[in-house]
Amino acid sequence: MRPAVFFDRDGTVNVEVHYLSRPEQLELLPTVAQTITMLNSQGIAAVVVTNQAGIARGYFPEHRLEAVHLRLHELLAEENAKLDGVYYCPHHPTAGLGAYRKACECRKPSPGMLMAAARDLNLDLTRSLMIGDRDSDLQAGANAGCQTGLVLTGYGQETSAAINLHKVHGIGIFPTVADAVRAWLKQS
Ligand SMILES: [Mg+2]
Ligand SMILES: [Zn+2]
């Protein structure tokens, strides 16, 4: 079993765009590609876990999300970075349409996506890190038994004012994902 770094998507890996639904809206945040390249070289899995309730709400169809994620892989490949997996939750417990209205186990802060990745990729969650810009990201990480790090990109500034890092196995608050991963590697 190997460790992983789990990344939230919007506001952590790419610039936050309200209900991003088109590939051309994707813009990688600084240090993301180089951090993933470094994880690739160290045999640490790099996995994106993202809530996409825009699907449940009928704002965009699931195949559009797949196009966005293809573009994400492309942008990273241009910088020799490779994700080991991208997991998304298309559900919403109250606002979802049809089968997408569901109190599921994948929507963060539930740990379902991290657990699924752990099964699929043979990951050791207790030696893994979850990075995100919202409290629900960190809670999902803690609920999966991972350590967590808050980044100040996306909604990170707002989150940092309210978060209790102790409650979410937090290792700190960092300007970028590179800073978070560096701190995590140093202490592990
Ligand atoms: Mg986010
Ligand atoms: Zn779900």
Side-chain angles (χ1 to χ4, degrees):
M1 292 207 298
R2 59 183 175 145
V5 174
F6 295 99
F7 297 89
D8 166 53
R9 198 193 77 181
D10 301 312
T12 301
V13 162
N14 55 272
V15 174
E16 166 70 36
V17 173
H18 196 57
Y19 290 112
L20 184 155
S21 63
R22 296 195 312 274
E24 61 271 24
Q25 294 174 303
L26 263 187
E27 183 188 342
L28 293 179
L29 282 161
T31 79
V32 166
Q34 72 207 56
T35 299
I36 293 173
T37 304
M38 187 269 289
L39 294 171
N40 294 157
S41 73
Q42 297 206 15
I44 299 169
V47 179
V48 166
V49 289
T50 179
N51 284 355
Q52 292 297 325
I55 294 174
R57 294 172 185 272
Y59 295 165
F60 52 91
E62 219 157 335
H63 67 80
R64 191 91 71 73
L65 189 66
E66 281 152 23
V68 168
H69 290 161
L70 268 180
R71 179 68 183 146
L72 177 59
H73 286 294
E74 264 174 28
L75 287 172
L76 289 169
E78 285 170 13
E79 303 194 54
N80 296 313
K82 188 178 181 307
L83 288 171
D84 294 277
V86 175
Y87 291 78
Y88 65 87
C89 166
H91 309 113
H92 192 279
T94 56
L97 305 172
Y100 291 121
R101 180 185 304 215
K102 190 178 169 191
C104 64
E105 284 167 13
C106 40
R107 182 173 166 81
K108 295 176 285 184
S110 294
M113 292 189 283
L114 291 82
M115 316 270 275
R119 282 192 298 272
D120 295 346
L121 303 169
N122 202 24
L123 306 176
D124 183 350
L125 290 170
T126 65
R127 289 192 297 134
S128 297
L129 174 70
M130 169 81 214
I131 304 174
D133 68 320
R134 298 192 113 148
D135 197 9
S136 55
D137 299 318
L138 307 193
Q139 285 181 44
N143 287 335
C146 304
Q147 289 191 296
T148 71
L150 179 70
V151 282
L152 291 171
T153 47
Y155 292 104
Q157 293 281 358
E158 291 94 314
T159 304
S160 69
I163 192 89
N164 180 343
L165 279 177
H166 184 67
K167 271 194 183 161
V168 291
H169 305 174
I171 59 166
I173 300 173
F174 305 95
T176 68
V177 296
D179 299 308
V181 169
R182 203 177 296 125
W184 175 68
L185 286 172
K186 198 181 280 180
Q187 58 127 63
S188 60

